[in-house]
Amino acid sequence: MVAIAGSVPGDRSDRAKRLFFWLLAGLAAVAVLSIGTGASGVSVLDAAQGWMAGNLDPRDALVLKSIRLPRLALGMLIGAALAVSGAVMQGLFRNPLADPGVVGVGAGASLGAVFAIVLGGMLPVWMGQHAVSLMAFAGAGYSTLLLYRVATRSGRTSVATMLLAGIALGALAAAMVGVMTYMADDRQLRDLTFWGMGSLAGASWTKVGAALPLILPAILLSPLLARGLNGLALGEAAAGHMGLPVQRIKLLAILTVAAATGASVAVSGGIGFIGIVVPHLLRIGSGPDHRWLLPNAAVLGAILLCLADIVARMIVAPAELPIGIVTAILGAPVFLWILLSRKGVGAL
Amino acid sequence: MIVAEDIYVRLGGRVILDGVSFRALPGHLTAIVGPNGSGKTTLLRALTAEVPFAGRTGMNGTDIAHAKAWQLAAIRAVLPQATPLAFPFTVIEVVRLGLASGISANRAHLAQQSLARVGLQGYEGRMYQDLSGGEQQRAQLARVLAQVWEPVLDGQPRWLLLDEPVSSLDIGHQLVVMQIARDFADAGGGVVAVMHDLNLTAMFADRVALLAGGRMVAQGTPAKVLDDANLSRAYRCRVRVNTPPDAGTWLVPHAASV
Ligand SMILES: Nc1ncnc2c1ncn2[C@@H]1O[C@H](COP(=O)(O)OP(=O)(O)OP(=O)(O)O)[C@@H](O)[C@H]1O
Ligand SMILES: [Mg+2]
């Protein structure tokens, strides 16, 4: 029998590659849906007809250009960032429950962001308008590092320690955010409240511009981590035996998580569970190989967050729900399901 | 050749290896034996630079402590005593992880050959986590074999470092795995295997290193090292070594105290 590449049983790479193209198609469909959804009642069809005929109503054009398109772009960007940072963090911690939002890294990023808003005067001038993103990045990076130090002993990560340390870290960060809120003046409080709502409601091209320089490199460079994260699935020692530069992989993974989480928290507050649900579904669908998992997670994350955003806009229209509520309602049960169905894998 | 000279390892404030010297030759299957906690795994971990140690270690003339991970991965593969696996990989995917560090491209077919070698043909599509303990151990061995498939490459011997490769295997598969190690050595590679089964050791090993309490008690051919006096002293129990003229060596534990 001649072995054709990919015909080996148990080899799921072809399936995973095909999935990527299906997901891209799905993303296109969701994008169309998203552009056509909103309070002002411009439909995709109107817009497309008007645009092609060259007589698009200027008010509709404005709605599309400065509200719906940046919102779509931000949703895709943040969704991809959340899913990729979840997948990378899970690979780093060798655990499907490690998600920046759950284990305190999101809270660390929030602390950085709040610091920038309240005590921005203390920060160096060169940070300028990127201060909130950069400080959220720093907060996320520092808490990931801290968590890894605490939860990992001689190359093994304890799930229990990780989750518990995450709770402590999150609580500490939240307390410090509280202290800073106290110190804030009226204008800063307004900024904080606006920022803390955690939704895509205030999407603008400025926000897209703030998130892009951190998120895009994180997503595009994450496939460089794929082999390393695959090797880490066997533990740090075995990864080293197979010739992988373990320390460098860990550092790059932490930077990726910090950049993606920091930027998304900075522009849209905390949005939970995308980072757990997306990689988990993909592992079931096409296996845990990070070479496909990471790119697929980016696309599926973008799809799911944009869908959640559409739901958030429709369910109580013309008002809208914070998107974090929608993702939590969808995501928390999945988190519990994973927790309950884990067998043998580094048991608690 | 693997050389370790005067190795000291301290872990958690205790001296684990106390001036151990060790040698393994290509073409040989070298067994490391000794009671639980005697430092066998630790010696192997010094040979892979996983634990900090004082002393000198070399592999094919390369200083192990200062070599890069990828340099070592090209000349030796390691089967740890236990290997955790974090995500739901299939058996073939696990074995292919070993190939990722391979040198030449397009070696995907090696994964299947390697699985067949350990008696797991037909297991490619099974989930690794659903396998039995012994099957998992053999799947890991297949991964390790795939990493150094050719026992000699570019004129250099390559090495298999195996920590208790047969600990959870039935007698049939114990023989299969020991024969794989034997064949690897006969083809010019080197094998260092931590062993608890002294009968298998006597059957398959060219040389034996006997550790006890972090020190090297004896090192040499099985006939020389595996004798009543050495074994009784190291294992703190009475052991009788039989050498019937027609059946190789045959050991029986005799009484629980010396
Ligand atoms: N990280 C560590 N910190 C402290 N002590 C350690 C550490 N690793 C090993 N030891 C101790 O070193 C001694 C030797 O351990 P090692 O794992 O090398 O034994 P072994 O000969 O492989 O035993 P076994 O047959 O049970 O596998 C043991 O007493 C163990 O408790
Ligand atoms: Mg051991």
Side-chain angles (χ1 to χ4, degrees):
Chain A
M1 199 181 79
V2 181
I4 307 155
S7 70
V8 181
D11 179 350
R12 292 174 281 183
S13 55
D14 280 348
R15 198 196 304 178
K17 281 182 236 177
R18 274 200 304 276
L19 185 61
F20 182 70
F21 293 102
W22 283 111
L23 287 173
L24 280 184
L27 183 61
V30 170
V32 171
L33 201 60
S34 170
I35 292 175
T37 309
S40 77
V42 189
S43 80
V44 181
L45 226 56
D46 298 344
Q49 277 172 353
W51 182 67
M52 281 199 289
N55 62 352
L56 185 57
D57 183 70
R59 205 186 65 90
D60 289 357
L62 190 70
V63 165
L64 289 178
K65 220 173 80 185
S66 58
I67 299 180
R68 291 197 189 165
L69 280 177
R71 183 162 191 154
L72 172 66
L74 199 66
M76 298 203 305
L77 211 54
I78 303 291
L82 292 171
V84 168
S85 58
V88 170
M89 188 148 180
Q90 286 144 28
L92 175 68
F93 280 82
R94 294 175 281 281
N95 190 298
L97 291 174
D99 174 67
V102 174
V103 294
V105 174
S110 301
L111 178 58
V114 170
F115 186 93
I117 293 173
V118 177
L119 300 173
M122 290 167 56
L123 295 172
V125 188
W126 57 261
M127 283 192 175
Q129 72 198 52
H130 293 297
V132 176
S133 298
L134 287 175
M135 288 304 290
F137 167 63
Y142 187 70
S143 34
T144 310
L145 194 65
L146 201 66
L147 195 67
Y148 196 86
R149 283 277 165 79
V150 172
T152 305
R153 284 284 139 76
S154 50
R156 302 258 168 109
T157 307
S158 148
V159 191
T161 318
M162 176 193 75
L163 293 177
L164 294 174
I167 291 172
L169 210 64
L172 187 65
M176 287 161 75
V177 167
V179 170
M180 286 204 222
T181 316
Y182 241 125
M183 296 159 57
D185 62 26
D186 280 354
R187 194 185 54 78
Q188 288 168 339
L189 267 181
R190 215 172 45 240
D191 284 353
L192 276 181
T193 319
F194 192 64
W195 168 80
M197 291 214 273
S199 79
L200 298 176
S204 63
W205 288 117
T206 318
K207 283 196 171 187
V208 173
L212 204 66
L214 280 176
I215 291 181
L216 208 58
I219 291 172
L220 294 181
L221 294 181
S222 67
L224 291 181
L225 282 168
R227 274 182 196 286
L229 295 178
N230 283 346
L232 277 183
L234 293 162
E236 277 185 35
H241 296 153
M242 295 191 298
L244 295 164
V246 175
Q247 294 306 324
R248 211 184 313 155
I249 291 162
K250 279 158 52 179
L251 184 68
L252 192 59
I254 288 175
L255 285 176
T256 306
V257 169
T261 309
S264 53
V265 166
V267 298
S268 65
I271 298 175
F273 295 107
I274 292 285
I276 286 193
V277 172
V278 168
H280 190 67
L281 291 177
L282 289 172
R283 279 189 210 104
I284 292 174
S286 56
D289 189 328
H290 290 87
R291 286 176 297 172
W292 326 116
L293 181 65
L294 293 172
N296 284 348
V299 185
L300 185 57
I303 291 177
L304 278 191
L305 197 68
C306 289
L307 273 180
D309 186 44
I310 293 171
V311 171
R313 280 185 277 168
M314 292 203 316
I315 219 162
V316 290
E320 52 180 81
L321 277 177
I323 193 170
I325 294 181
V326 179
T327 59
I329 289 172
L330 297 173
V334 178
F335 181 84
L336 287 176
W337 169 44
I338 304 173
L339 197 62
L340 294 177
S341 65
R342 284 155 59 74
K343 42 177 188 180
V345 191
L348 294 170
Chain B
M1 184 158 77
I2 292 180
V3 192
E5 268 166 25
D6 227 13
I7 303 297
Y8 288 84
V9 174
R10 264 183 101 85
L11 291 172
R14 286 179 46 222
V15 176
I16 310 292
L17 290 182
D18 191 4
V20 169
S21 294
F22 172 82
R23 216 159 257 264
L25 294 173
H28 277 183
L29 198 171
T30 306
I32 302 176
V33 299
N36 290 142
S38 57
K40 305 180 296 296
T41 295
T42 307
L43 176 56
L44 221 52
R45 276 154 51 90
L47 294 177
T48 55
E50 270 174 76
V51 287
F53 60 89
R56 214 181 62 78
T57 53
M59 181 176 284
N60 296 358
T62 306
D63 182 353
I64 291 173
H66 296 107
K68 295 254 182 288
W70 60 266
Q71 288 174 315
L72 291 175
I75 53 172
R76 63 101 184 87
V78 186
L79 180 71
Q81 197 165 354
T83 312
L85 182 68
F87 297 108
F89 285 98
T90 61
V91 171
I92 194 82
E93 286 168 343
V94 169
V95 178
R96 284 190 180 166
L97 291 180
L99 286 174
S101 56
I103 303 157
S104 53
N106 205 3
R107 296 152 55 95
H109 62 285
L110 283 189
Q112 273 180 299
Q113 285 182 25
S114 198
L115 272 175
R117 193 81 172 82
V118 300
L120 288 179
Q121 61 273 55
Y123 282 64
E124 289 85 352
R126 300 267 301 268
M127 297 309 293
Y128 175 84
Q129 278 145 356
D130 295 343
L131 298 186
S132 75
E135 289 166 346
Q136 288 188 349
Q137 199 177 17
R138 285 188 281 140
Q140 290 293 346
L141 179 64
R143 167 180 70 79
V144 166
L145 279 178
Q147 187 183 330
V148 288
W149 186 253
E150 303 85 0
V152 179
L153 192 69
D154 301 332
Q156 280 216 56
R158 303 214 280 176
W159 297 87
L160 282 174
L161 306 185
L162 312 173
D163 198 347
E164 302 195 20
V166 298
S167 56
S168 43
L169 303 187
D170 64 70
I171 49 173
H173 283 114
Q174 288 183 353
L175 293 172
V176 167
V177 166
M178 291 312 292
Q179 193 57 50
I180 290 172
R182 186 67 260 166
D183 292 346
F184 191 85
D186 289 344
V191 182
V192 175
V194 171
M195 299 286 297
H196 274 308
D197 189 321
L198 299 177
N199 286 306
L200 281 178
T201 305
M203 278 172 72
F204 284 96
D206 299 296
R207 294 180 63 84
V208 182
L210 176 60
L211 277 175
R215 289 167 196 268
M216 193 63 81
V217 175
Q219 212 170 159
T221 59
K224 203 183 107 211
V225 174
L226 302 178
D227 68 16
D228 294 8
N230 278 342
L231 294 180
S232 301
R233 188 152 47 92
Y235 287 92
R236 296 176 180 284
C237 68
R238 243 182 289 159
V239 177
R240 177 178 295 165
V241 181
N242 298 294
T243 41
D246 53 341
T249 310
W250 172 44
L251 288 80
V252 275
H254 200 63
S257 60
V258 185

